[in-house]
Amino acid sequence: MKTDVLIIGGGPGGSAAAMFLLREGITPVILEQEEFPRFHIGESLTGEAAQVLRRLGLEDKMNQMDNPVKHGVRVYGTNAVTTWYVKVSSRDQSWNLYDNTTWQVRRSEFDKMLLDEAIKRGTKIIRGTAIKALKGEDGSLVGIKMRHPDGREEDISTRVVLDCSGQSTFLANQKVTGPKYLGSYDKQVAFFSHVRNTVRGSGTTGEDAKDNTLIFYDKKFHWAWFIPIDKEVTSLGMVTPRAKYLEKKQTPEEYFRSEVFNINPEIGRRVPKLDMAEKVHVIPNYSFQVRGFCGKGYICIGDSHRFIDPIFSFGVTVTMREAEFAAPYVRRYLAGELDGKENPFEELQRMCEKGIDNLEDMIDLFWEQPFAFATFVHSRYVEQMTDAFAGRIYDFEHQPSPSIMSFRKLLKRTREYDADDYSIPIGSRYHPERAPLWAPDSPVPGTEEWISRGGQLVGT
């Protein structure tokens, strides 16, 4: 089998990449092992995620799906004593800020809509699993060996692979990329479910709009979320250190029921009773970073090259924006315009890396110095923080802004990029010395191990 572009994974990143490639006159093939719809977390879209969907011509479809409309995010501080709010916003062509809206989504329906739309527009799809990366004599990626659902194996010859496999990090595991660094600074675990009969806001717009995201803060690495996903059901989840869960020796559901109301008293007011419409799911939250995630014949997109704390819902935003950025580079590569370069996608790689660094610095300051962070949000850098929360994190969006530079100063951190475009810290946010180089025999358990164990927590 031959194709110019093969996309591994049909989630939001892969589907968006396919639709943007079609706009460039390129018909890609998506290799997807799962049947959609399937359950997934990551239900709150930022302002820039909504803008990507609008640029793809999907605004009407999103509204037809009756997705809850999000006007902003309210964060409740410890014991719900203080709160702060960040509205959804966009920038016009003159870089003037204006209020906007985005959506909350049930990921099973949202992801299926995106994949169906990509296929409807001309994308080809193959059902199966990528099992091996195929390299050429010069070390470039020239294809993928796949396994069909009936067990047959087949080689797919391709000029470009877009790895949209998410935290499965297929190309990193195949050692096509540079090394993968796994952060082990906190080892948080997320527990979440869908619940009915919650108390939402009473407004139709602004900070009390009924379908806004709520975040409940307890203390460092202890927080919870509240995301309406349809008229009746709300996604409710909490994140705590894995060690605390293991100490309790409870099942995931027992632990969730016993701990979620202890995060913040506002949760009890919003969720009078845990009327669950979905089982309790568990995901370990590891940070990781892949070096050299672009090269001859490949680009890694979104979580397939970097994952940081999910607290402000940037995952879908980053993967869809990187998919949009990648499409014109792929077109230029196929046209021979990037020949002769050791890394034909170096410019793209640098832009993506710097953007996530800006995001990481914001999240780190939230955890390390939440009071300083709230001051920046409320008074000192209101517009710049609104930009960051919306997902405007790239250099062409006036980043790093003075607010991000202030964060770095408070974190006692610099971002001086070396020859391969990566800054320190890498892999682990607060303790880079505790971020061992990923290897198959690494003593640090990672997402791959969790996936291979069917979602069970190591140590349980």
Side-chain angles (χ1 to χ4, degrees):
M1 189 184 304
K2 292 184 179 181
T3 182
D4 281 339
V5 181
L6 177 69
I7 301 172
I8 302 175
S15 295
M19 286 185 273
F20 282 116
L21 286 168
L22 287 166
R23 288 188 170 188
E24 299 285 347
I26 300 163
T27 302
V29 171
I30 291 177
L31 176 61
E32 173 56 59
Q33 63 182 354
E34 292 189 88
E35 290 291 336
F36 287 29
R38 47 87 171 108
F39 184 89
H40 208 286
I41 197 62
E43 297 135 326
S44 187
L45 305 183
T46 69
E48 284 304 312
Q51 292 294 74
V52 173
L53 294 170
R54 292 181 180 112
R55 287 193 290 275
L56 284 170
L58 295 172
E59 182 171 20
D60 288 346
K61 190 171 287 287
M62 290 295 291
N63 290 328
Q64 290 166 9
M65 292 172 67
D66 209 18
N67 292 299
V69 177
K70 170 184 168 184
H71 292 256
V73 179
R74 176 169 291 284
V75 179
Y76 289 84
T78 304
N79 295 321
V81 174
T82 59
T83 70
W84 45 272
Y85 174 77
V86 179
K87 59 188 177 183
V88 174
S89 68
S90 297
R91 293 279 189 178
D92 62 21
Q93 291 184 344
S94 300
W95 204 245
N96 296 312
L97 197 67
Y98 65 94
D99 293 356
N100 207 342
T101 59
T102 183
W103 298 277
Q104 317 280 26
V105 296
R106 184 184 290 273
R107 282 291 301 276
S108 57
E109 298 172 0
F110 175 70
D111 291 11
K112 185 178 187 303
M113 181 275 290
L114 287 178
L115 182 57
D116 287 349
E117 189 67 23
I119 295 169
K120 179 182 176 182
R121 296 183 185 188
T123 302
K124 299 177 182 178
I125 186 167
I126 303 172
R127 296 293 178 181
T129 304
I131 57 175
K132 184 179 180 181
L134 306 175
K135 296 182 180 180
E137 293 181 1
D138 62 352
S140 63
L141 188 63
V142 297
I144 296 293
K145 181 181 287 292
M146 65 158 291
R147 180 179 294 118
H148 289 274
D150 62 6
R152 290 183 301 112
E153 294 184 1
E154 182 176 3
D155 291 350
I156 303 176
S157 174
T158 183
R159 296 175 65 188
V160 181
V161 171
L162 299 186
D163 184 354
C164 299
S165 63
Q167 293 186 34
S168 298
T169 58
F170 175 76
L171 291 184
N173 292 351
Q174 290 284 309
K175 305 299 175 68
V176 172
T177 66
K180 176 179 176 180
Y181 289 84
L182 189 64
S184 60
Y185 65 95
D186 54 13
K187 294 184 179 176
Q188 292 168 276
V189 182
F191 300 80
F192 51 92
S193 181
H194 290 167
V195 296
R196 307 180 190 90
N197 300 314
T198 59
V199 179
R200 304 183 185 181
S202 58
T204 56
T205 62
E207 54 188 283
D208 199 38
K210 62 184 178 66
D211 291 327
N212 284 347
T213 293
L214 307 179
I215 291 176
F216 310 100
Y217 176 85
D218 179 18
K219 53 183 178 288
K220 190 186 290 187
F221 311 134
H222 296 70
W223 63 278
W225 72 77
F226 177 105
I227 301 170
I229 60 171
D230 64 26
K231 292 180 180 179
E232 303 294 332
V233 176
T234 298
S235 173
L236 180 69
M238 68 174 186
V239 177
T240 65
R242 171 174 169 267
K244 184 176 182 181
Y245 166 66
L246 295 179
E247 287 172 4
K248 292 278 188 175
K249 300 186 184 304
Q250 295 176 315
T251 67
E253 181 172 338
E254 289 171 342
Y255 183 71
F256 183 70
R257 287 183 176 276
S258 67
E259 292 294 324
V260 69
F261 294 108
N262 295 331
I263 296 287
N264 194 292
E266 182 65 19
I267 297 177
R269 291 191 281 271
R270 297 286 182 169
V271 187
K273 179 184 177 182
L274 272 180
D275 180 8
M276 291 193 289
E278 177 71 34
K279 71 176 184 178
V280 174
H281 296 260
V282 188
I283 295 179
N285 171 18
Y286 291 93
S287 64
F288 61 79
Q289 187 169 356
V290 175
R291 298 181 81 145
F293 61 88
C294 295
K296 290 181 180 179
Y298 67 90
I299 300 171
C300 297
I301 289 175
D303 283 359
S304 70
H305 71 87
R306 193 163 176 183
F307 176 74
I308 56 177
D309 196 304
I311 185 166
F312 295 126
S313 303
F314 290 109
V316 175
T317 302
V318 168
T319 195
M320 290 201 302
R321 297 205 73 190
E322 290 186 0
E324 183 175 10
F325 299 152
Y329 282 92
V330 172
R331 173 184 52 76
R332 292 171 58 198
Y333 180 78
L334 294 177
E337 297 176 17
L338 303 179
D339 289 351
K341 295 186 177 183
E342 184 175 348
N343 180 356
F345 304 116
E346 179 181 6
E347 184 180 83
L348 172 67
Q349 178 176 273
R350 182 191 295 258
M351 180 181 70
C352 293
E353 193 68 15
K354 286 185 174 182
I356 302 180
D357 283 347
N358 294 327
L359 181 60
E360 185 174 76
D361 292 336
M362 181 180 79
I363 292 174
D364 289 359
L365 192 78
F366 171 81
W367 285 121
E368 291 293 277
Q369 300 188 40
F371 294 109
F373 184 88
T375 298
F376 289 158
V377 170
H378 278 304
S379 57
R380 192 172 301 176
Y381 299 112
V382 177
E383 285 201 3
Q384 294 170 22
M385 292 300 297
T386 302
D387 282 332
F389 273 99
R392 291 185 286 276
I393 57 176
Y394 299 99
D395 52 6
F396 64 91
E397 294 168 319
H398 307 283
Q399 297 287 5
S401 66
S403 62
I404 298 295
M405 298 305 293
S406 294
F407 297 168
R408 291 176 183 173
K409 184 176 181 180
L410 288 170
L411 291 166
K412 299 179 180 179
R413 172 181 301 172
T414 60
R415 291 286 190 181
E416 297 175 2
Y417 293 81
D418 59 21
D420 62 358
D421 301 331
Y422 292 85
S423 64
I424 299 297
I426 183 171
S428 178
R429 296 203 285 277
Y430 312 120
H431 305 286
E433 72 279 3
R434 288 167 52 195
L437 178 65
W438 181 87
D441 58 351
S442 170
V444 181
T447 311
E448 301 83 8
E449 180 175 344
W450 172 76
I451 291 172
S452 70
R453 291 166 61 95
Q456 296 179 346
L457 283 177
V458 177
T460 62

